[in-house]
Amino acid sequence: MPGTASPTPLRVALLGCGVVGTEVARGLLTGAADLAARVGAPLELVGVAVRDLETERDPAVPRELLTTDAEKLVESADIVVEVMGGIEPARTLLLRAIAGGASVVTANKALLAERWPELFEAADAAGVDLSFEAAVAGAIPIVRPVRESLAGDHVRRVLGIVNGTTNFVLDRMATDGLELEEAVREAQALGYAEADPTADVDGFDAAAKAAILASLAFHTRVSIDDVAREGIRAVTADDVAAAAATGHTVKLLAIAERTAEGVSVRVHPALVPTDHPLAAVRGAFNAVFVEADGAGPLMFYGQGAGGRPTASAVLGDVVSAARHRVLGGKGPQESAYASLPLLPADAATTRYQVRLVVDDRPGVLAQVAGVLAEHGVSIDTVRQSALGAEAAEGADPAGATANLLLTTHRAREASLAATVAAVAGLAPVREITSVLRVEGA
Ligand code: NDP
Ligand code: HSE
């Protein structure tokens, strides 16, 4: 309009120009006109902090924007986007940006899961937005739905496949019978897994995301140290095949659940019935299944990693923070009012499926069942199959063994673990082949 001053551009500082940062920069630069229209003011990318100026980079990122002086960069920004990863210097830079009045956007789940209270208190005190949609399940909108769309409901449980690398690995084990190491090597060759796959395979990445989801869902502070964590390292091709034979798929689940006693947050491999929506999540995809009192079951599905998918979530947060700066208002603050008790790992309730090899003679099944009864654990199903050659006609019956597959009803983790230990100690029990939890049934 003639005579109307154009709105002042909002200065955006980008910390990091790797897998995600490059795509955020590209999106800000190539989508500038659309973003300006959506925000009501132009977004000006004023600098991109990196470690090494000499690294060859995507030409979409102008070299003149690169700097190694991240501290100076954040001082003059309206919005700071942190996609460098790690705890330091990301934490100090974000706190500095917040103290200077900038809104901040981060994809850094490790930092959030460790330093959530400190960052939120700083953002609340400064009256700025702290947004982190990309920190859980990459492109999938899950932070905003849990934090805002379900703010009028009561979330009971969140079950998530929030680590694409481990989902890819388990999927390859299921489809082609690969052992874990082979499937991890394939994930590395395809760029899903790092050279050191520990963060994914041992469940640290999923635990950070579980802590964030639980904090949002239950209005309670949950840090990564509160999450009981077991990765997929012990899962074998045989476990995955046995799961399929009983109508299950093995998934690494992040579970956050509210019980009468408090909140249980855990990450572990679990058998999911093949007709559950999470069982259909293949390859490196992610999905989060939410159960709420009013809404009932909800499923969020999509790409949990990768430059462009993750940048999509980051840019959504940038637009939202920028709109607040133009139009006034602010995104939700931390909501930790409920402050529910955090339950120890052994107080969780779950179901076990136990595979064991036992002597095949009268009374053995009764002995095993007796141990479960003594521990107050109720059996759901039992299947027995005789073992190959030893069961053949003419074989010495004294040496015969059988496979037992026991599935329990829901019981406390502590009781289930004690039961398995006691069963393992029975004389006719030759081997406990595997113990896997069953979820989603
Ligand atoms: P990369 O390792 O690809 O990129 C990190 C970038 O940060 C690099 O440009 C690096 O600089 C820069 N950087 C690191 N440390 C410093 C420092 N001290 N000072 C200045 N710059 C620094 O990471 P990603 O892009 O993969 O991940 C970024 C964040 O996004 C992480 O928190 C990650 O957890 C999260 N995330 C990533 C996803 C993905 O699919 N990759 C998905 C969801 C979240 P230089 O280039 O010079 O080395
Ligand atoms: N390494 C993660 C995954 C991606 O495999 O899902 C970043 O969160």
Side-chain angles (χ1 to χ4, degrees):
M1 258 197 304
T4 305
S6 33
T8 313
L10 292 168
R11 297 166 61 82
V12 180
L14 183 59
L15 307 180
C17 190
V19 174
V20 180
T22 301
E23 296 306 324
V24 173
R26 194 195 310 279
L28 285 169
L29 294 169
T30 61
D34 279 333
L35 294 175
R38 292 169 198 176
V39 167
L43 299 178
E44 184 189 355
L45 180 59
V46 292
V48 182
V50 293
R51 265 181 306 218
D52 183 359
L53 291 175
E54 303 310 316
T55 302
E56 201 174 317
R57 297 186 192 274
D58 191 301
V61 184
R63 287 199 78 80
E64 62 273 19
L65 288 182
L66 298 176
T67 176
T68 53
D69 194 346
E71 291 190 12
K72 182 148 183 287
L73 183 61
V74 302
E75 274 170 17
S76 58
D78 297 302
I79 299 173
V80 172
V81 179
E82 187 272 306
V83 282
M84 57 179 24
I87 306 300
E88 289 294 355
R91 169 186 160 271
T92 302
L93 289 166
L94 284 182
L95 289 173
R96 190 179 287 245
I98 290 168
S103 304
V104 294
V105 174
T106 180
N108 192 337
K109 61 256 165 184
L111 175 60
L112 286 166
E114 212 173 275
R115 297 297 189 146
W116 174 280
E118 181 185 29
L119 291 166
F120 263 103
E121 279 164 16
D124 289 350
V128 298
D129 282 340
L130 165 57
S131 320
F132 50 93
E133 183 62 72
V136 182
I140 304 175
I142 184 65
V143 168
R144 201 166 277 119
V146 173
R147 186 148 86 146
E148 298 180 45
S149 315
L150 291 170
D153 206 332
H154 261 85
V155 175
R156 281 197 310 273
R157 194 149 81 124
V158 181
L159 292 179
I161 295 173
V162 291
N163 183 267
T165 303
T166 45
N167 201 57
F168 173 85
V169 166
L170 292 169
D171 195 27
R172 293 294 293 123
M173 292 170 76
T175 48
D176 273 340
L178 300 189
E179 280 298 350
L180 183 98
E181 295 74 22
E182 292 172 271
V184 169
R185 277 198 296 278
E186 206 174 297
Q188 286 167 325
L190 289 168
Y192 295 134
E194 303 283 332
D196 174 2
T198 306
D200 296 319
V201 172
D202 291 321
F204 291 98
D205 176 75
K209 294 165 182 171
I212 295 169
L213 284 173
S215 301
L216 298 174
F218 304 127
H219 306 274
T220 293
R221 282 181 174 171
V222 181
S223 103
I224 190 164
D225 298 330
D226 302 314
V227 182
R229 178 188 49 77
E230 185 183 313
I232 62 167
R233 221 171 266 278
V235 177
T236 64
D238 186 42
D239 291 336
V240 174
T246 61
H248 294 91
T249 307
V250 182
K251 296 290 183 191
L252 181 69
L253 294 185
I255 302 169
E257 117 189 293
R258 183 204 298 249
T259 71
E261 297 160 315
V263 168
S264 163
V265 192
R266 53 197 197 269
V267 167
H268 55 66
L271 300 174
V272 176
T274 44
D275 58 359
H276 191 281
L278 286 173
V281 179
R282 307 286 309 275
F285 274 76
N286 281 195
V288 183
F289 189 78
V290 179
E291 294 167 23
D293 284 350
L298 300 163
M299 172 95 157
F300 301 82
Y301 171 84
Q303 297 189 68
R308 283 198 71 192
T310 308
S312 161
V314 170
L315 288 166
D317 278 350
V318 170
V319 168
S320 171
R323 281 178 178 151
H324 291 143
R325 294 187 84 91
V326 171
L327 301 169
K330 194 174 124 28
Q333 299 181 313
E334 185 195 21
S335 173
Y337 75 92
S339 208
L340 296 171
L342 297 172
L343 302 177
D346 61 8
T349 62
T350 184
R351 299 171 63 212
Y352 271 10
Q353 189 181 86
V354 186
R355 290 194 295 133
L356 57 161
V357 181
V358 296
D359 291 342
D360 193 3
R361 56 182 164 75
V364 172
L365 187 54
Q367 244 183 300
V368 171
V371 171
L372 273 87
E374 274 165 30
H375 287 80
V377 173
S378 169
I379 296 173
D380 182 22
T381 59
V382 185
R383 287 191 201 181
Q384 176 175 334
S385 56
L387 276 181
E390 288 171 335
E393 221 174 297
D396 171 14
T401 57
N403 275 325
L404 274 188
L405 188 135
L406 290 175
T407 308
T408 71
H409 282 296
R410 245 176 135 79
R412 280 172 83 93
E413 180 82 33
S415 313
L416 290 167
T419 306
V420 173
V423 168
L426 292 175
V429 174
R430 303 262 184 114
E431 179 193 339
I432 303 278
T433 316
S434 82
V435 180
L436 280 167
R437 298 169 184 87
V438 184
E439 295 287 347

